[in-house]
Each structure stands twice: as structure tokens, then as C-alpha cells.
Amino acid sequence: MESILSISKALGEKNRLRVFLALMDTEELCVCDVGDFLGLAPATVSRHMSILHQAGLIESEKRGRWVYYRMGTAVDPRLLGWIRSSVGNDGFPAQDREKIREIVRLHRESCLCDSGGRETSG
């Protein structure tokens, strides 16, 4: 019972649901990908990702300065199917899919995540 409550809590917040859906369509996302995608500070991203991790929905790996996230290997495919069919393809999921692909492409082309050379504004 705790498992379903934890998963429900984790996916019951829009930003966490959005990033979880993005991970369903992406091999992995760096913390900076998620921050740019959601428009959130790294500390806020880490808090959201920690909740998803504690629910067993995602896995993380620290590489140098950055943390990378991917779909949890133990996530039941039936849950993924239910989430995808429940959310559908209209509205924010379709827009988010394009947005995250572009963010990942730009970050990987410029090696921002890999080199630790991400620019900060200010």
C-alpha cells in the first residue's frame, strides 16, 4: 500500500508528472536539462527528482558535477502504459515532448552538461 501512495504523491504534482513523462520518451536527462525544461532552480529540480526517486520511479547517477536521471528499471510497464493513455497526446505532453528534445539536443551539441561548463546568467 505504501508503494501506491508514494507513486501517487510523486506523480500528483504537475512538474514531477511532466518530467516523468519526458523521461518516458528520453534515455536520460541531466539536472540542467530538467531545470531548463521546467524553468526551475537546480535545488528545486533536485527536490522534485528526489521524490520521484524515493517512489522508485527513476534512477540517478552522478557524473562529475552533474546528476543524470533515467526511468527506473523496476517500473511496471503496465503503469507506464496507463500513465501514457491517461495523459494522452494533447496539450502539454505534446508541447513538452518537442521542448525536451530541443533542450537535450542543444545541451549535447554544446557539451554543456558533459563539460561542466554550463553558463550562468547574472
Side-chain angles (χ1 to χ4, degrees), residues 37-70:
F37 173 57
L38 298 175
L40 299 173
T44 306
V45 169
S46 292
R47 188 171 56 243
H48 283 306
M49 301 310 279
S50 175
I51 292 169
L52 291 169
H53 186 269
Q54 289 172 356
L57 295 170
I58 65 169
E59 298 172 355
S60 64
E61 177 184 351
K62 185 164 174 73
R63 289 187 225 144
R65 182 176 165 188
W66 303 108
V67 178
Y68 289 80
Y69 301 100
R70 64 189 158 278

Side-chain angles (χ1 to χ4, degrees), residues 19-92:
V19 75
F20 185 76
L21 290 167
L23 282 168
M24 287 174 66
D25 293 327
T26 309
E27 185 177 327
E28 69 178 7
L29 295 173
C30 175
V31 67
C32 63
D33 297 331
V34 178
D36 287 353
F37 173 57
L38 298 175
L40 299 173
T44 306
V45 169
S46 292
R47 188 171 56 243
H48 283 306
M49 301 310 279
S50 175
I51 292 169
L52 291 169
H53 186 269
Q54 289 172 356
L57 295 170
I58 65 169
E59 298 172 355
S60 64
E61 177 184 351
K62 185 164 174 73
R63 289 187 225 144
R65 182 176 165 188
W66 303 108
V67 178
Y68 289 80
Y69 301 100
R70 64 189 158 278
M71 185 66 55
T73 55
V75 177
D76 191 321
R78 295 172 296 178
L79 174 63
L80 299 177
W82 178 80
I83 290 169
R84 192 174 300 281
S85 67
S86 296
V87 172
N89 287 321
D90 297 333
F92 81 86

Side-chain angles (χ1 to χ4, degrees), residues 98-116:
E98 292 302 315
K99 183 177 180 180
I100 197 66
R101 284 184 187 138
E102 184 64 10
I103 288 169
V104 169
R105 184 185 67 76
L106 290 172
H107 285 184
R108 299 315 180 265
E109 281 180 5
S110 56
C111 300
L112 292 178
C113 299
D114 297 330
S115 68

